[in-house]
Amino acid sequence: MVSRRAFVGAGAALAGVAAWSKTSAMSLPDAPIMEDASTQPPLAPSAGPDYNPVVTPNGWTLPFRMNNGWKEFHLIAEPVEREMGEGMTAYLWGYNGQSPGPTIECVEGDKVRIFVTNRLPEHTTIHWHGMLLPCGMDGVGGLTQPHIKSGKTFVYEFVMQKSGTFMYHPHADEMLQMAMGMMGSFVVHPKDPTFMPVDRDFVFLLSAYDIDPGTYVPRVMEMTDFNMWTMNTRVFPNIDPLPIGLNERARVRVGNLTMTNHPIHMHGYDFSVTCTDGGWVRPEARWPEVTIDIPVGAMRAFEFDAHVPGDWALHCHKSHHTMNAMGHDVPTFIGVDKTSVAKKIRQLQPDYMPMGTKGMADMGEMSMPIPDNTIPMMTGWGQFGPLEMGGMFTVVKVREDLAKGDYSDPGEYEHPPGTVAYEWTGELPMAAKAPDAPVKTGSLEQKSATPAKASDHSGH
Ligand SMILES: [Cu+2]
């Protein structure tokens, strides 16, 4: 997890614009790049209508400039190196130095112009998922526009017809380009700042990769068997927490660009689903949940009032999605006595240790040698021991003493005395025993061979 100090310094990671864009294209807005995978502070609006900016855990927000009433952004599609977690970097494709790309934020009614420069080795486009716009701005290569060839820059212009939660991704060689990490969040704030206000607003995209341990590039042809299940292209234990002040209202926006659904579950709270990529959910249509399934190619936002302090897990409820790199063809050894076979193997390999006979929790504590550039399947430590998690898992940290707008990791929760589950060390009563069942006479065959007379059922 990023420390408070590292977080404060992280803003400096926003690197300056490349000399290229200043000299060769005077009219293009800056295209800042991000070199850091830690959560960047929210970007307050520098012009135009006011809003409470979103925070992208392990991500950042793209600055804009105003030009004659238009909000102008500049995205650069390019190969990137993304630190998925400590000790593992993936060679992906993304935008402005990272995958996911920067979050784009604007306000309902804004006129937005987005320059897209292609520095990939093949053509691309950008589709603005969920946006209401002229057909020719929809970004479907071949269908609504010519592809953006390598080295070219295209311009998208449209008016934000409604507020809500959206995303962007290519619609050109889509299977490969999304498997390589090309995606970003797009949040449009309501024009009326009193509509659905929250104190903390988080956004992340779920994506999945198949990266063999020891390698760097995802296997883009994989359809189902992924080993990196990510939130904003980051895996536990290196997904930054979601810090929330006690009694603040919080919104979490989640989009799914994997090829399966993700039931996102939050501990300690019930919440309301308030927004989808189709729009805001009317108050009378909301319902309470503790798990919200995020369908493929969809976004959901949920809200809650943070009235209970603590470290509350927030994770996908598919248990294989809270694991990191693992082999799926490992046999199950639960209950198998491997003592004698272990003895034989130790004659050849003295430090051999049989695993999996009592379960797999041992793996969370053990540091086994692993190949370069991968992350153990079950990992992470809390104040009470190993978490035995990975993948799509993070922690909502609700704290009384959190300053407004402070998104640094507040550390581990200090439980009030007497509020933590504890070991019973007294006497245990003998287990109650059911009385002996009456001894049955005769076998099943005998019974079926002598069917009851119809009169036996007369009392029914
Ligand atoms: Cu999942």
Side-chain angles (χ1 to χ4, degrees):
M1 302 270 176
V2 65
S3 70
R4 187 175 291 254
R5 224 166 110 209
F7 186 94
V8 171
L14 189 68
V17 61
W20 164 86
S21 74
K22 276 186 182 153
T23 52
S24 70
M26 290 284 285
S27 62
L28 276 173
D30 283 353
I33 58 159
M34 177 55 62
E35 291 172 336
D36 204 287
S38 58
T39 307
Q40 301 300 309
L43 196 63
S46 53
D50 197 25
Y51 54 82
N52 179 31
V54 296
V55 169
T56 311
N58 296 104
W60 62 297
T61 303
L62 188 62
F64 62 83
R65 77 170 181 198
M66 292 303 296
N67 184 3
N68 257 331
W70 288 77
K71 259 181 197 170
E72 292 185 336
F73 299 87
H74 191 175
L75 286 171
I76 295 186
E78 60 182 357
V80 301
E81 287 182 20
R82 172 66 171 180
E83 191 195 60
M84 284 197 170
E86 231 172 86
M88 179 170 178
T89 296
Y91 295 170
L92 302 178
W93 290 359
Y95 300 96
N96 300 49
Q98 291 294 325
S99 163
T103 298
I104 298 177
E105 265 181 296
C106 53
V107 180
E108 181 188 359
D110 274 353
K111 292 190 287 182
V112 169
R113 182 178 293 130
I114 306 169
F115 296 82
V116 179
T117 297
N118 182 7
R119 288 190 193 155
L120 298 170
E122 68 168 359
H123 67 208
T124 191
T125 63
I126 297 188
H127 166 59
W128 314 99
H129 176 111
M131 293 277 175
L132 303 179
L133 36 59
C135 187
M137 294 292 160
D138 196 40
V140 182
L143 180 67
T144 67
Q145 67 164 89
H147 291 92
I148 310 171
K149 295 215 158 53
S150 298
K152 301 292 182 192
T153 298
F154 268 51
V155 183
Y156 293 91
E157 286 173 345
F158 47 96
V159 178
M160 298 298 120
Q161 294 186 33
K162 63 176 188 181
S163 61
T165 305
F166 311 101
M167 51 192 170
Y168 64 89
H169 61 79
H171 230 295
D173 196 8
E174 191 176 338
M175 182 199 82
L176 180 141
Q177 294 192 6
M178 295 214 295
M180 287 294 285
M182 299 192 74
M183 56 193 73
S185 299
F186 200 141
V187 169
V188 184
H189 296 279
K191 204 177 213 166
D192 173 6
T194 66
F195 179 76
M196 306 284 292
V198 290
D199 302 296
R200 307 252 170 175
D201 203 343
F202 300 92
V203 63
F204 57 83
L205 292 178
L206 306 171
S207 59
Y209 306 88
D210 179 25
I211 305 178
D212 283 335
T215 71
Y216 294 80
V217 180
R219 293 179 58 246
V220 296
M221 301 310 286
E222 182 55 54
M223 190 169 81
T224 54
D225 192 9
F226 299 93
N227 60 7
M228 288 287 148
W229 299 98
T230 79
M231 293 169 149
N232 284 340
T233 323
R234 195 88 170 158
V235 294
F236 182 79
N238 297 114
I239 301 174
D240 285 341
L242 279 51
I244 300 169
L246 190 65
N247 295 321
E248 285 186 325
R249 186 158 180 86
R251 177 185 298 133
V252 181
R253 313 177 192 238
V254 190
N256 178 5
L257 285 174
T258 74
M259 282 181 282
T260 187
N261 59 318
H262 300 282
I264 297 295
H265 174 53
M266 193 172 92
H267 294 208
Y269 283 85
D270 44 39
F271 54 71
S272 295
V273 180
T274 55
C275 191
T276 79
D277 34 1
W280 298 99
V281 182
R282 288 152 51 140
E284 64 273 25
R286 292 172 202 159
W287 74 98
E289 274 296 5
V290 296
T291 303
I292 175 70
D293 196 33
I294 320 288
V296 178
M299 302 200 76
R300 299 285 181 267
F302 61 87
E303 294 180 22
F304 55 95
D305 294 311
H307 46 64
V308 192
D311 283 349
W312 302 107
L314 173 70
H315 63 93
C316 177
H317 218 294
K318 287 188 176 174
S319 51
H320 279 234
H321 296 180
T322 50
M323 293 284 118
N324 290 325
M326 63 187 283
H328 288 140
D329 47 4
V330 177
T332 297
F333 286 121
I334 295 168
V336 175
D337 184 359
K338 291 204 278 187
T339 318
S340 63
V341 73
K343 262 186 209 154
K344 284 181 192 159
I345 295 174
R346 278 202 200 100
Q347 289 168 1
L348 300 166
Q349 192 191 331
D351 55 355
Y352 172 76
M353 197 171 13
M355 294 204 61
T357 57
K358 293 188 291 180
M360 291 174 89
D362 286 355
M363 293 182 69
E365 282 181 73
M366 206 173 281
S367 57
M368 290 190 298
I370 54 170
D372 285 347
N373 203 51
T374 192
I375 296 178
M377 168 182 155
M378 307 162 66
T379 185
W381 284 79
Q383 56 181 313
F384 300 108
L387 266 76
E388 303 156 0
M389 286 277 139
M392 295 169 167
F393 182 99
T394 187
V395 182
V396 172
K397 298 192 170 190
V398 179
R399 295 291 189 279
E400 204 166 352
D401 54 352
L402 203 62
K404 270 220 174 307
D406 182 2
Y407 288 88
S408 54
D409 185 348
E412 287 159 348
Y413 179 59
E414 264 182 57
H415 297 267
T419 64
V420 177
Y422 57 96
E423 182 185 358
W424 172 256
T425 53
E427 291 276 303
L428 283 178
M430 291 291 285
K433 197 168 173 250
D436 286 337
V439 180
K440 283 189 180 127
T441 53
S443 72
L444 222 58
E445 283 104 312
Q446 281 171 323
K447 274 185 187 162
S448 59
T450 52
K453 286 172 194 160
S455 60
D456 288 346
H457 292 273
S458 57
H460 285 215

